């Protein structure tokens, strides 16, 4: 991409911004540039900027959003603001990749503003609002914005994210309880077949958390849950059919090694599980902590 091309695009952006300013200033709108045409210009510029200057793409989408607002196209405004937020996030990722030590928070702040502005245009029970909140929480996990829209899938997602946050701060009891909520909800509705990947993640993470917590059978959990992993070779996968046979037996070996405090076996199982693509990054970290705990 030539530097001259970039300069030309930036000049086009400035020209289009001036058109928007003229629209905002002119009292008799018939003498102002056509708003829809200016919106289209911003949209086209954003596409051209997106590959190499995503921060300018974000600014263009914001300009498009202002135009859509002027003509009363609220869905168009929300869409433009969402694209702006994502472009700001892309700019942030690019900045971190180039200079991770001195990365500015400006782009994430821009994304945050665009997300919140888009949210302000939507009703509380909107599925779009719930989806935007999910995106927003990726860059600001503790933001206190909620939606009245509720569905089993959204509840599962919220609980999983909350459990991940608990794991990050080593509050394993809270994480276990949140994952158990998911397990109980899905099994009570008898819809395990609808959420096979979720149930697998929940099964594995709960097991790792219990091994870390070393809790005795109690009101905190159904002791049968860990019992089915406590005897290698019994072939009982009742309640754990969401797991592949290989993963199930590896987890059995893990539990038995923990119960026997057999460090060598535990490390051997850890090494095998570390190559298991079915485990998430968070689960791999828990596995590492588990080995560290029993190695002390």
């Amino acid at each position: 991409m030539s530097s001259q091309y970039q300069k030309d695009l930036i000049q086009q952006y400035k020209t289009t911004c001036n058109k928007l300013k003229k629209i905002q200033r002119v009292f008799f709108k018939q003498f102002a540039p056509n708003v829809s045409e200016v919106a289209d210009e911003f949209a086209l510029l954003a596409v051209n900027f997106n590959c190499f200057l995503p921060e300018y793409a974000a600014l263009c989408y914001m300009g498009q959003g202002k135009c859509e607002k002027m003509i009363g196209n609220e869905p168009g405004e929300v869409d433009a603001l969402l694209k702006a937020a994502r472009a700001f996030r892309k700019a942030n990722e690019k900045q971190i990749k180039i200079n991770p030590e001195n990365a500015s928070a400006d782009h994430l702040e821009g994304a945050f503003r665009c997300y919140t502005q888009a949210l302000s245009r939507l009703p509380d029970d909107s599925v779009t609002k719930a989806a935007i909140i999910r995106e927003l929480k990726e860059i600001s996990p503790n933001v206190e914005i909620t939606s009245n829209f509720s569905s089993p899938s959204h509840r599962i997602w919220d609980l999983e994210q909350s459990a991940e946050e608990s794991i990050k701060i080593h509050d394993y009891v809270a994480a276990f309880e949140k994952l158990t909520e998911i397990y109980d909800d899905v099994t009570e509705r008898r819809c395990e077949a609808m959420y096979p990947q979720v149930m697998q993640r929940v099964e594995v993470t709960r097991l790792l958390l219990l091994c870390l917590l070393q809790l005795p059978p109690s009101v905190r959990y159904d002791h049968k849950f860990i019992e089915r992993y406590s005897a290698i070779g019994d072939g009982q996968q009742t309640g754990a059919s969401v797991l592949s046979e290989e993963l199930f037996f590896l987890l059995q070996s893990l539990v038995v090694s923990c119960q026997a405090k057999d460090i060598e076996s535990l490390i051997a199982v850890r090494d095998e599980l570390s190559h298991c693509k079915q485990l998430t990054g968070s689960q791999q970290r828990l596995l590492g902590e588990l080995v560290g705990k029993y190695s002390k």
Side-chain angles (χ1 to χ4, degrees):
M1 193 72 65
S2 70
S3 59
Q4 186 57 48
Y5 178 71
Q6 293 184 28
K7 289 177 182 177
D8 290 344
L9 277 181
I10 292 172
Q11 185 56 49
Q12 288 177 45
Y13 165 72
K14 291 178 179 177
T15 301
T16 308
C17 284
N18 287 333
K19 290 181 182 179
L20 177 58
K21 289 176 183 176
K22 187 174 181 181
I23 293 170
Q24 293 169 326
R25 285 198 310 263
V26 174
F27 182 77
F28 296 105
K29 299 302 180 186
Q30 63 265 36
F31 299 115
N34 183 284
V35 182
S36 295
E37 289 179 2
V38 175
D40 290 341
E41 286 181 32
F42 273 126
L44 181 59
L45 281 169
V47 172
N48 290 328
F49 273 125
N50 201 42
C51 293
F52 60 97
L53 286 175
E55 60 271 33
Y56 270 93
L59 294 172
C60 289
Y61 283 127
M62 289 176 70
Q64 181 190 1
K66 290 177 182 177
C67 293
E68 300 294 358
K69 183 179 180 180
M70 286 179 183
I71 60 178
N73 182 10
E74 197 166 87
E77 181 190 3
V78 170
D79 182 62
L81 287 167
L82 269 180
K83 288 177 178 176
R86 290 163 185 165
F88 273 128
R89 290 179 65 176
K90 184 176 179 180
N92 180 69
E93 290 165 7
K94 182 179 177 182
Q95 186 182 50
I96 290 173
K97 191 174 181 180
I98 294 171
N99 191 2
E101 293 182 1
N102 297 313
S104 165
D106 291 349
H107 294 141
L108 285 184
E109 288 173 5
F112 184 90
R113 287 195 301 272
C114 290
Y115 278 132
T116 52
Q117 195 173 341
L119 288 169
S120 70
R121 304 289 188 266
L122 296 166
D124 281 343
D125 59 352
S126 163
V127 63
T128 304
K129 183 168 187 174
I132 293 173
I133 290 171
R134 287 173 63 171
E135 277 195 39
L136 175 57
K137 286 187 175 181
E138 290 174 5
I139 62 170
S140 185
N142 298 320
V143 66
E144 294 184 1
I145 300 177
T146 59
S147 165
N148 290 337
F149 176 82
S150 180
S151 75
S153 295
H154 278 81
R155 175 171 166 74
I156 287 170
W157 187 88
D158 285 339
L159 283 169
E160 272 204 281
Q161 292 303 304
S162 183
E164 283 297 320
E165 290 303 312
S166 295
I167 288 171
K168 286 178 184 177
I169 61 173
H170 303 285
D171 188 351
Y172 297 143
V173 171
F176 181 83
E177 289 173 347
K178 288 163 187 172
L179 294 173
T180 299
E181 273 193 68
I182 296 174
Y183 178 85
D184 290 344
D185 179 58
V186 174
T187 53
E188 283 171 13
R189 292 188 290 117
R190 298 181 180 179
C191 56
E192 293 93 332
M194 293 177 62
Y195 305 101
Q197 292 180 329
V198 169
M199 294 301 281
Q200 177 180 291
R201 289 196 301 271
V202 167
E203 181 84 10
V204 174
T205 305
R206 287 171 78 221
L207 185 67
L208 292 171
L209 289 170
L210 280 182
C211 289
L212 271 167
L213 290 167
Q214 296 177 306
L215 294 175
S218 69
V219 293
R220 287 194 184 278
Y221 67 93
D222 178 3
H223 67 276
K224 291 181 181 179
F225 169 61
I226 205 163
E227 273 185 3
R228 64 175 174 258
Y229 292 96
S230 299
I232 292 179
D234 64 7
Q236 298 298 314
Q237 276 213 58
T238 305
S241 57
V242 291
L243 306 181
S244 67
E245 187 172 311
E246 179 187 8
L247 180 56
F248 176 73
F249 285 116
L250 282 172
L251 292 173
Q252 274 192 324
S253 300
L254 181 77
V255 171
V256 171
S257 298
C258 289
Q259 290 174 336
K261 294 183 170 56
D262 185 342
I263 306 305
E264 288 186 9
S265 296
L266 182 58
I267 291 172
V269 177
R270 187 275 314 272
D271 291 343
E272 287 194 64
L273 283 169
S274 66
H275 299 295
C276 181
K277 294 181 180 179
Q278 293 168 286
L279 264 62
T280 66
S282 176
Q283 289 166 349
Q284 293 284 7
R285 288 189 291 275
L286 286 174
L287 186 59
E289 287 187 37
L290 183 60
V291 172
K293 179 169 185 171
Y294 279 88
S295 298
K296 291 179 181 178

